[in-house]
Amino acid sequence: MVIDQLLLGVDYLHSNGLVHRDLKPGNILINKKERSIKIGDFGLSAQINHDIQYGKIGTPSYIAPELI
């Protein structure tokens, strides 16, 4: 259930032209009573094809590997 909601949230962000760039367990807020999640900490987010800076951005242990 958490993964389904997380993927729906990321899909929503992408469909609205946003990327999070620091998605990690600490930025996923879980409400156990309502059985729901929220994605938090948009400090490193960016608009797709607008202000994305390339390079290593985000929490080092959660950054995707670079393409060679």
Side-chain angles (χ1 to χ4, degrees), residues 36-65:
S36 64
I37 68 156
K38 291 184 180 183
I39 299 172
D41 192 0
F42 285 83
L44 297 175
S45 64
Q47 290 183 334
I48 296 172
N49 297 327
H50 179 65
D51 61 359
I52 292 182
Q53 297 173 2
Y54 294 94
K56 294 185 177 185
I57 298 173
T59 304
S61 57
Y62 292 95
I63 295 174

PDB file of all heavy atoms in Angstrom, residues 36-65:
ATOM      1  N   SER A  36      -2.059   6.344   5.141  1.00  0.00           N
ATOM      2  CA  SER A  36      -1.712   7.149   3.973  1.00  0.00           C
ATOM      3  C   SER A  36      -0.301   7.707   4.136  1.00  0.00           C
ATOM      4  O   SER A  36       0.264   7.692   5.226  1.00  0.00           O
ATOM      5  CB  SER A  36      -2.707   8.298   3.809  1.00  0.00           C
ATOM      6  OG  SER A  36      -2.626   9.181   4.911  1.00  0.00           O
ATOM      7  N   ILE A  37       0.249   8.189   3.041  1.00  0.00           N
ATOM      8  CA  ILE A  37       1.578   8.791   3.060  1.00  0.00           C
ATOM      9  C   ILE A  37       1.525  10.169   2.415  1.00  0.00           C
ATOM     10  O   ILE A  37       0.596  10.505   1.677  1.00  0.00           O
ATOM     11  CB  ILE A  37       2.626   7.935   2.335  1.00  0.00           C
ATOM     12  CG1 ILE A  37       2.353   7.909   0.833  1.00  0.00           C
ATOM     13  CG2 ILE A  37       2.697   6.536   2.897  1.00  0.00           C
ATOM     14  CD1 ILE A  37       3.577   7.603   0.017  1.00  0.00           C
ATOM     15  N   LYS A  38       2.553  10.946   2.706  1.00  0.00           N
ATOM     16  CA  LYS A  38       2.791  12.224   2.042  1.00  0.00           C
ATOM     17  C   LYS A  38       4.277  12.288   1.736  1.00  0.00           C
ATOM     18  O   LYS A  38       5.106  11.765   2.481  1.00  0.00           O
ATOM     19  CB  LYS A  38       2.402  13.403   2.928  1.00  0.00           C
ATOM     20  CG  LYS A  38       0.921  13.515   3.155  1.00  0.00           C
ATOM     21  CD  LYS A  38       0.590  14.743   3.958  1.00  0.00           C
ATOM     22  CE  LYS A  38      -0.923  14.820   4.159  1.00  0.00           C
ATOM     23  NZ  LYS A  38      -1.314  16.024   4.870  1.00  0.00           N
ATOM     24  N   ILE A  39       4.593  12.919   0.621  1.00  0.00           N
ATOM     25  CA  ILE A  39       5.989  13.130   0.256  1.00  0.00           C
ATOM     26  C   ILE A  39       6.368  14.521   0.760  1.00  0.00           C
ATOM     27  O   ILE A  39       5.668  15.493   0.496  1.00  0.00           O
ATOM     28  CB  ILE A  39       6.187  13.021  -1.263  1.00  0.00           C
ATOM     29  CG1 ILE A  39       5.791  11.629  -1.751  1.00  0.00           C
ATOM     30  CG2 ILE A  39       7.636  13.329  -1.635  1.00  0.00           C
ATOM     31  CD1 ILE A  39       5.759  11.473  -3.254  1.00  0.00           C
ATOM     32  N   GLY A  40       7.485  14.612   1.479  1.00  0.00           N
ATOM     33  CA  GLY A  40       7.904  15.887   2.047  1.00  0.00           C
ATOM     34  C   GLY A  40       9.260  16.331   1.549  1.00  0.00           C
ATOM     35  O   GLY A  40       9.929  15.640   0.781  1.00  0.00           O
ATOM     36  N   ASP A  41       9.690  17.495   2.006  1.00  0.00           N
ATOM     37  CA  ASP A  41      10.988  18.106   1.731  1.00  0.00           C
ATOM     38  C   ASP A  41      11.235  18.308   0.241  1.00  0.00           C
ATOM     39  O   ASP A  41      11.938  17.546  -0.407  1.00  0.00           O
ATOM     40  CB  ASP A  41      12.121  17.298   2.350  1.00  0.00           C
ATOM     41  CG  ASP A  41      13.441  18.054   2.326  1.00  0.00           C
ATOM     42  OD1 ASP A  41      13.474  19.196   1.837  1.00  0.00           O
ATOM     43  OD2 ASP A  41      14.446  17.492   2.798  1.00  0.00           O
ATOM     44  N   PHE A  42      10.673  19.356  -0.278  1.00  0.00           N
ATOM     45  CA  PHE A  42      10.832  19.686  -1.690  1.00  0.00           C
ATOM     46  C   PHE A  42      11.915  20.732  -1.923  1.00  0.00           C
ATOM     47  O   PHE A  42      11.916  21.441  -2.919  1.00  0.00           O
ATOM     48  CB  PHE A  42       9.485  20.161  -2.268  1.00  0.00           C
ATOM     49  CG  PHE A  42       8.524  19.037  -2.490  1.00  0.00           C
ATOM     50  CD1 PHE A  42       7.751  18.556  -1.447  1.00  0.00           C
ATOM     51  CD2 PHE A  42       8.408  18.434  -3.724  1.00  0.00           C
ATOM     52  CE1 PHE A  42       6.873  17.508  -1.637  1.00  0.00           C
ATOM     53  CE2 PHE A  42       7.534  17.380  -3.925  1.00  0.00           C
ATOM     54  CZ  PHE A  42       6.760  16.916  -2.881  1.00  0.00           C
ATOM     55  N   GLY A  43      12.864  20.822  -0.991  1.00  0.00           N
ATOM     56  CA  GLY A  43      13.920  21.816  -1.077  1.00  0.00           C
ATOM     57  C   GLY A  43      14.826  21.660  -2.286  1.00  0.00           C
ATOM     58  O   GLY A  43      15.404  22.633  -2.762  1.00  0.00           O
ATOM     59  N   LEU A  44      14.971  20.458  -2.809  1.00  0.00           N
ATOM     60  CA  LEU A  44      15.824  20.226  -3.972  1.00  0.00           C
ATOM     61  C   LEU A  44      15.017  19.949  -5.235  1.00  0.00           C
ATOM     62  O   LEU A  44      15.582  19.619  -6.273  1.00  0.00           O
ATOM     63  CB  LEU A  44      16.766  19.047  -3.716  1.00  0.00           C
ATOM     64  CG  LEU A  44      17.770  19.245  -2.581  1.00  0.00           C
ATOM     65  CD1 LEU A  44      18.568  17.963  -2.352  1.00  0.00           C
ATOM     66  CD2 LEU A  44      18.704  20.399  -2.881  1.00  0.00           C
ATOM     67  N   SER A  45      13.704  20.087  -5.167  1.00  0.00           N
ATOM     68  CA  SER A  45      12.866  19.788  -6.328  1.00  0.00           C
ATOM     69  C   SER A  45      13.108  20.804  -7.444  1.00  0.00           C
ATOM     70  O   SER A  45      13.628  21.899  -7.208  1.00  0.00           O
ATOM     71  CB  SER A  45      11.389  19.778  -5.939  1.00  0.00           C
ATOM     72  OG  SER A  45      10.991  21.062  -5.513  1.00  0.00           O
ATOM     73  N   ALA A  46      12.734  20.430  -8.655  1.00  0.00           N
ATOM     74  CA  ALA A  46      12.929  21.305  -9.813  1.00  0.00           C
ATOM     75  C   ALA A  46      11.871  21.006 -10.859  1.00  0.00           C
ATOM     76  O   ALA A  46      11.270  19.933 -10.867  1.00  0.00           O
ATOM     77  CB  ALA A  46      14.311  21.080 -10.414  1.00  0.00           C
ATOM     78  N   GLN A  47      11.667  21.969 -11.733  1.00  0.00           N
ATOM     79  CA  GLN A  47      10.766  21.762 -12.866  1.00  0.00           C
ATOM     80  C   GLN A  47      11.514  21.000 -13.949  1.00  0.00           C
ATOM     81  O   GLN A  47      12.675  21.299 -14.242  1.00  0.00           O
ATOM     82  CB  GLN A  47      10.266  23.087 -13.423  1.00  0.00           C
ATOM     83  CG  GLN A  47       9.316  23.795 -12.507  1.00  0.00           C
ATOM     84  CD  GLN A  47       8.789  25.070 -13.137  1.00  0.00           C
ATOM     85  OE1 GLN A  47       9.434  25.670 -13.992  1.00  0.00           O
ATOM     86  NE2 GLN A  47       7.622  25.484 -12.716  1.00  0.00           N
ATOM     87  N   ILE A  48      10.844  20.042 -14.550  1.00  0.00           N
ATOM     88  CA  ILE A  48      11.437  19.258 -15.630  1.00  0.00           C
ATOM     89  C   ILE A  48      11.661  20.177 -16.828  1.00  0.00           C
ATOM     90  O   ILE A  48      10.803  20.984 -17.177  1.00  0.00           O
ATOM     91  CB  ILE A  48      10.523  18.077 -16.014  1.00  0.00           C
ATOM     92  CG1 ILE A  48      10.399  17.118 -14.825  1.00  0.00           C
ATOM     93  CG2 ILE A  48      11.051  17.349 -17.246  1.00  0.00           C
ATOM     94  CD1 ILE A  48       9.386  16.016 -15.015  1.00  0.00           C
ATOM     95  N   ASN A  49      12.819  20.067 -17.457  1.00  0.00           N
ATOM     96  CA  ASN A  49      13.190  20.833 -18.655  1.00  0.00           C
ATOM     97  C   ASN A  49      13.215  22.338 -18.429  1.00  0.00           C
ATOM     98  O   ASN A  49      13.080  23.110 -19.356  1.00  0.00           O
ATOM     99  CB  ASN A  49      12.256  20.519 -19.830  1.00  0.00           C
ATOM    100  CG  ASN A  49      12.362  19.079 -20.248  1.00  0.00           C
ATOM    101  OD1 ASN A  49      13.418  18.470 -20.159  1.00  0.00           O
ATOM    102  ND2 ASN A  49      11.266  18.512 -20.688  1.00  0.00           N
ATOM    103  N   HIS A  50      13.364  22.778 -17.183  1.00  0.00           N
ATOM    104  CA  HIS A  50      13.413  24.215 -16.949  1.00  0.00           C
ATOM    105  C   HIS A  50      14.636  24.591 -16.121  1.00  0.00           C
ATOM    106  O   HIS A  50      15.549  25.205 -16.624  1.00  0.00           O
ATOM    107  CB  HIS A  50      12.124  24.696 -16.268  1.00  0.00           C
ATOM    108  CG  HIS A  50      12.121  26.163 -15.987  1.00  0.00           C
ATOM    109  ND1 HIS A  50      12.131  27.100 -16.979  1.00  0.00           N
ATOM    110  CD2 HIS A  50      12.137  26.849 -14.823  1.00  0.00           C
ATOM    111  CE1 HIS A  50      12.141  28.309 -16.448  1.00  0.00           C
ATOM    112  NE2 HIS A  50      12.147  28.180 -15.135  1.00  0.00           N
ATOM    113  N   ASP A  51      14.636  24.216 -14.860  1.00  0.00           N
ATOM    114  CA  ASP A  51      15.742  24.634 -14.006  1.00  0.00           C
ATOM    115  C   ASP A  51      16.504  23.459 -13.398  1.00  0.00           C
ATOM    116  O   ASP A  51      17.092  23.589 -12.344  1.00  0.00           O
ATOM    117  CB  ASP A  51      15.258  25.585 -12.915  1.00  0.00           C
ATOM    118  CG  ASP A  51      14.222  24.959 -11.982  1.00  0.00           C
ATOM    119  OD1 ASP A  51      13.854  23.795 -12.190  1.00  0.00           O
ATOM    120  OD2 ASP A  51      13.782  25.637 -11.059  1.00  0.00           O
ATOM    121  N   ILE A  52      16.505  22.339 -14.092  1.00  0.00           N
ATOM    122  CA  ILE A  52      17.250  21.183 -13.583  1.00  0.00           C
ATOM    123  C   ILE A  52      18.737  21.438 -13.765  1.00  0.00           C
ATOM    124  O   ILE A  52      19.201  21.774 -14.839  1.00  0.00           O
ATOM    125  CB  ILE A  52      16.839  19.878 -14.304  1.00  0.00           C
ATOM    126  CG1 ILE A  52      15.413  19.508 -13.926  1.00  0.00           C
ATOM    127  CG2 ILE A  52      17.802  18.757 -13.966  1.00  0.00           C
ATOM    128  CD1 ILE A  52      14.931  18.230 -14.542  1.00  0.00           C
ATOM    129  N   GLN A  53      19.472  21.299 -12.678  1.00  0.00           N
ATOM    130  CA  GLN A  53      20.919  21.386 -12.729  1.00  0.00           C
ATOM    131  C   GLN A  53      21.450  19.962 -12.733  1.00  0.00           C
ATOM    132  O   GLN A  53      21.014  19.136 -11.948  1.00  0.00           O
ATOM    133  CB  GLN A  53      21.451  22.124 -11.508  1.00  0.00           C
ATOM    134  CG  GLN A  53      20.986  23.541 -11.418  1.00  0.00           C
ATOM    135  CD  GLN A  53      21.401  24.170 -10.098  1.00  0.00           C
ATOM    136  OE1 GLN A  53      22.068  23.552  -9.274  1.00  0.00           O
ATOM    137  NE2 GLN A  53      21.012  25.411  -9.899  1.00  0.00           N
ATOM    138  N   TYR A  54      22.367  19.690 -13.614  1.00  0.00           N
ATOM    139  CA  TYR A  54      22.908  18.348 -13.691  1.00  0.00           C
ATOM    140  C   TYR A  54      24.067  18.202 -12.721  1.00  0.00           C
ATOM    141  O   TYR A  54      24.718  19.154 -12.349  1.00  0.00           O
ATOM    142  CB  TYR A  54      23.338  18.036 -15.122  1.00  0.00           C
ATOM    143  CG  TYR A  54      22.144  17.979 -16.039  1.00  0.00           C
ATOM    144  CD1 TYR A  54      21.752  19.095 -16.762  1.00  0.00           C
ATOM    145  CD2 TYR A  54      21.386  16.834 -16.122  1.00  0.00           C
ATOM    146  CE1 TYR A  54      20.634  19.051 -17.583  1.00  0.00           C
ATOM    147  CE2 TYR A  54      20.265  16.771 -16.929  1.00  0.00           C
ATOM    148  CZ  TYR A  54      19.903  17.888 -17.660  1.00  0.00           C
ATOM    149  OH  TYR A  54      18.799  17.839 -18.449  1.00  0.00           O
ATOM    150  N   GLY A  55      24.286  17.008 -12.286  1.00  0.00           N
ATOM    151  CA  GLY A  55      25.323  16.725 -11.312  1.00  0.00           C
ATOM    152  C   GLY A  55      24.718  15.967 -10.152  1.00  0.00           C
ATOM    153  O   GLY A  55      23.562  15.556 -10.184  1.00  0.00           O
ATOM    154  N   LYS A  56      25.494  15.804  -9.125  1.00  0.00           N
ATOM    155  CA  LYS A  56      25.034  15.055  -7.961  1.00  0.00           C
ATOM    156  C   LYS A  56      24.263  15.981  -7.036  1.00  0.00           C
ATOM    157  O   LYS A  56      24.851  16.840  -6.378  1.00  0.00           O
ATOM    158  CB  LYS A  56      26.212  14.409  -7.250  1.00  0.00           C
ATOM    159  CG  LYS A  56      26.885  13.347  -8.086  1.00  0.00           C
ATOM    160  CD  LYS A  56      27.978  12.646  -7.326  1.00  0.00           C
ATOM    161  CE  LYS A  56      28.560  11.546  -8.200  1.00  0.00           C
ATOM    162  NZ  LYS A  56      29.534  10.745  -7.489  1.00  0.00           N
ATOM    163  N   ILE A  57      22.950  15.793  -6.986  1.00  0.00           N
ATOM    164  CA  ILE A  57      22.090  16.605  -6.133  1.00  0.00           C
ATOM    165  C   ILE A  57      21.259  15.662  -5.277  1.00  0.00           C
ATOM    166  O   ILE A  57      20.626  14.748  -5.789  1.00  0.00           O
ATOM    167  CB  ILE A  57      21.164  17.505  -6.978  1.00  0.00           C
ATOM    168  CG1 ILE A  57      22.008  18.461  -7.799  1.00  0.00           C
ATOM    169  CG2 ILE A  57      20.175  18.245  -6.110  1.00  0.00           C
ATOM    170  CD1 ILE A  57      21.234  19.282  -8.782  1.00  0.00           C
ATOM    171  N   GLY A  58      21.248  15.870  -3.975  1.00  0.00           N
ATOM    172  CA  GLY A  58      20.465  15.041  -3.074  1.00  0.00           C
ATOM    173  C   GLY A  58      21.325  14.442  -1.983  1.00  0.00           C
ATOM    174  O   GLY A  58      22.497  14.772  -1.831  1.00  0.00           O
ATOM    175  N   THR A  59      20.748  13.562  -1.216  1.00  0.00           N
ATOM    176  CA  THR A  59      21.459  12.885  -0.139  1.00  0.00           C
ATOM    177  C   THR A  59      22.401  11.850  -0.754  1.00  0.00           C
ATOM    178  O   THR A  59      21.952  10.974  -1.496  1.00  0.00           O
ATOM    179  CB  THR A  59      20.457  12.198   0.810  1.00  0.00           C
ATOM    180  OG1 THR A  59      19.537  13.199   1.272  1.00  0.00           O
ATOM    181  CG2 THR A  59      21.161  11.553   1.986  1.00  0.00           C
ATOM    182  N   PRO A  60      23.706  11.940  -0.491  1.00  0.00           N
ATOM    183  CA  PRO A  60      24.677  11.089  -1.174  1.00  0.00           C
ATOM    184  C   PRO A  60      24.353   9.600  -1.210  1.00  0.00           C
ATOM    185  O   PRO A  60      24.503   8.963  -2.246  1.00  0.00           O
ATOM    186  CB  PRO A  60      25.977  11.350  -0.405  1.00  0.00           C
ATOM    187  CG  PRO A  60      25.811  12.749   0.097  1.00  0.00           C
ATOM    188  CD  PRO A  60      24.345  12.874   0.427  1.00  0.00           C
ATOM    189  N   SER A  61      23.886   9.016  -0.118  1.00  0.00           N
ATOM    190  CA  SER A  61      23.637   7.571  -0.121  1.00  0.00           C
ATOM    191  C   SER A  61      22.357   7.185  -0.860  1.00  0.00           C
ATOM    192  O   SER A  61      22.079   6.003  -1.027  1.00  0.00           O
ATOM    193  CB  SER A  61      23.603   7.039   1.315  1.00  0.00           C
ATOM    194  OG  SER A  61      22.623   7.727   2.066  1.00  0.00           O
ATOM    195  N   TYR A  62      21.585   8.172  -1.329  1.00  0.00           N
ATOM    196  CA  TYR A  62      20.346   7.888  -2.061  1.00  0.00           C
ATOM    197  C   TYR A  62      20.384   8.378  -3.498  1.00  0.00           C
ATOM    198  O   TYR A  62      19.411   8.276  -4.216  1.00  0.00           O
ATOM    199  CB  TYR A  62      19.138   8.503  -1.341  1.00  0.00           C
ATOM    200  CG  TYR A  62      18.851   7.829  -0.018  1.00  0.00           C
ATOM    201  CD1 TYR A  62      19.341   8.340   1.159  1.00  0.00           C
ATOM    202  CD2 TYR A  62      18.113   6.647   0.029  1.00  0.00           C
ATOM    203  CE1 TYR A  62      19.095   7.707   2.371  1.00  0.00           C
ATOM    204  CE2 TYR A  62      17.854   6.008   1.224  1.00  0.00           C
ATOM    205  CZ  TYR A  62      18.354   6.550   2.391  1.00  0.00           C
ATOM    206  OH  TYR A  62      18.116   5.917   3.574  1.00  0.00           O
ATOM    207  N   ILE A  63      21.496   8.925  -3.946  1.00  0.00           N
ATOM    208  CA  ILE A  63      21.613   9.423  -5.316  1.00  0.00           C
ATOM    209  C   ILE A  63      21.747   8.243  -6.267  1.00  0.00           C
ATOM    210  O   ILE A  63      22.492   7.295  -6.007  1.00  0.00           O
ATOM    211  CB  ILE A  63      22.841  10.349  -5.462  1.00  0.00           C
ATOM    212  CG1 ILE A  63      22.653  11.603  -4.606  1.00  0.00           C
ATOM    213  CG2 ILE A  63      23.063  10.737  -6.912  1.00  0.00           C
ATOM    214  CD1 ILE A  63      23.873  12.502  -4.583  1.00  0.00           C
ATOM    215  N   ALA A  64      21.037   8.338  -7.393  1.00  0.00           N
ATOM    216  CA  ALA A  64      21.146   7.289  -8.411  1.00  0.00           C
ATOM    217  C   ALA A  64      22.558   7.318  -9.004  1.00  0.00           C
ATOM    218  O   ALA A  64      23.170   8.381  -9.108  1.00  0.00           O
ATOM    219  CB  ALA A  64      20.117   7.517  -9.513  1.00  0.00           C
ATOM    220  N   PRO A  65      23.064   6.155  -9.415  1.00  0.00           N
ATOM    221  CA  PRO A  65      24.396   6.132 -10.023  1.00  0.00           C
ATOM    222  C   PRO A  65      24.408   6.940 -11.315  1.00  0.00           C
ATOM    223  O   PRO A  65      23.415   7.020 -12.026  1.00  0.00           O
ATOM    224  CB  PRO A  65      24.659   4.642 -10.298  1.00  0.00           C
ATOM    225  CG  PRO A  65      23.410   3.931  -9.971  1.00  0.00           C
ATOM    226  CD  PRO A  65      22.455   4.858  -9.332  1.00  0.00           C
TER     227      PRO A  65
END
